[in-house]
Amino acid sequence: MRPLLLLVPLAFVAACIAQASADDLPHDVITLTTGERLVGELVDVRDGRYWVLLTNGRMVSVEFRTASLVEMAGRSTEPVPMEDLPLPEWNESPYEAENQRAIAGGFDFGLTQGARVRFRTSSPAVAHVDVKAGVTLLFGGGTGPALLTGAEVAFFRDSPVHLTLSGAVGPAIIWGSIYPFVGVGTGVQFDPKGPMEVHLGLMAGTTFSYFAVSPDLSLSWLW
């Protein structure tokens, strides 16, 4: 009789473990306000929608407001706050993950010395538009410094390498005289994750007396 009595608590513990395992979900489940249940893997949360890879291999998305309950695999059935959703890192562009304030500022160091203010956009084609002011060197009929103010547009937001187009105006000192310079340029911006980036480009223009070019090889720090 005593051995049988010992089996009773063991059976109770085993039942509790089995019940806890049964309560854990094998898949992510989103219950809609209509009562429909989407069963599969929650792979992304963006554009105001949940993106779910269903168990049959079909990808579907639903708006946040249509979901009444989000349940995650391996957890007991309970609501999960959006900020606790364990999404894979590949769903985040490095330019989305880092500081994405609409406006940022920083400085340039190198052949161009100056400051820039960055205006980020929501367009997938245009990464940002920078307003710049700084000192650079002009090479042409003579060599001299120029104080230029202008704008730079960077393309391909979700790439670590941006093609840039720019324009600038300002006074230049050539052969001891001041000339007005107007130029346009193009270049490449290497923008790895973090506050630093590298600029490589060339601006060409005129002082209305000489043709002049200004190479750009600089390091920027923005925050």
Side-chain angles (χ1 to χ4, degrees):
M1 179 63 69
R2 182 173 298 177
L4 292 177
L5 293 176
L6 291 176
L7 289 177
V8 172
L10 292 177
F12 177 77
V13 171
C16 291
I17 294 175
Q19 181 62 37
S21 299
D23 287 341
D24 289 342
L25 297 172
H27 300 287
D28 302 333
V29 179
I30 294 182
T31 303
L32 305 182
T33 54
T34 61
E36 180 184 0
R37 300 172 78 245
L38 303 178
V39 180
E41 180 184 358
L42 179 60
V43 297
D44 205 355
V45 176
R46 58 183 170 87
D47 302 330
R49 307 178 72 89
Y50 296 109
W51 296 75
V52 183
L53 179 63
L54 300 179
T55 54
N56 62 7
R58 186 166 63 95
M59 179 73 76
V60 298
S61 67
V62 293
E63 296 183 357
F64 291 161
R65 60 184 178 84
T66 64
S68 61
L69 180 64
V70 177
E71 302 164 289
M72 302 302 296
R75 299 191 184 187
S76 298
T77 56
E78 59 183 11
V80 180
M82 188 184 305
E83 59 270 19
D84 293 340
L85 296 177
L87 299 178
E89 292 182 359
W90 56 261
N91 286 316
E92 295 184 359
S93 162
Y95 313 102
E96 299 289 346
E98 69 184 23
N99 185 4
Q100 284 297 296
R101 291 174 298 172
I103 301 177
F107 298 94
D108 296 341
F109 307 92
L111 295 182
T112 299
Q113 301 274 351
R116 66 173 64 217
V117 178
R118 173 160 298 172
F119 299 89
R120 296 189 174 97
T121 75
S122 58
S123 167
V126 177
H128 48 259
V129 177
D130 294 353
V131 176
K132 305 189 302 177
V135 177
T136 187
L137 284 177
L138 291 182
F139 299 87
T143 301
L147 177 60
L148 301 181
T149 301
E152 179 181 81
V153 180
F155 300 93
F156 313 125
R157 186 184 66 178
D158 292 330
S159 170
V161 180
H162 305 301
L163 172 68
T164 62
L165 296 176
S166 59
V169 298
I173 300 176
I174 306 294
W175 299 115
S177 299
I178 298 178
Y179 295 88
F181 174 79
V182 177
V184 293
T186 185
V188 177
Q189 181 185 104
F190 301 92
D191 187 11
K193 200 171 183 179
M196 290 192 303
E197 59 191 36
V198 176
H199 300 265
L200 178 62
L202 183 70
M203 177 169 289
T206 178
T207 62
F208 298 96
S209 294
Y210 303 99
F211 172 78
V213 297
S214 173
D216 181 18
L217 177 57
S218 59
L219 174 70
S220 295
W221 185 281
L222 291 101
W223 62 91

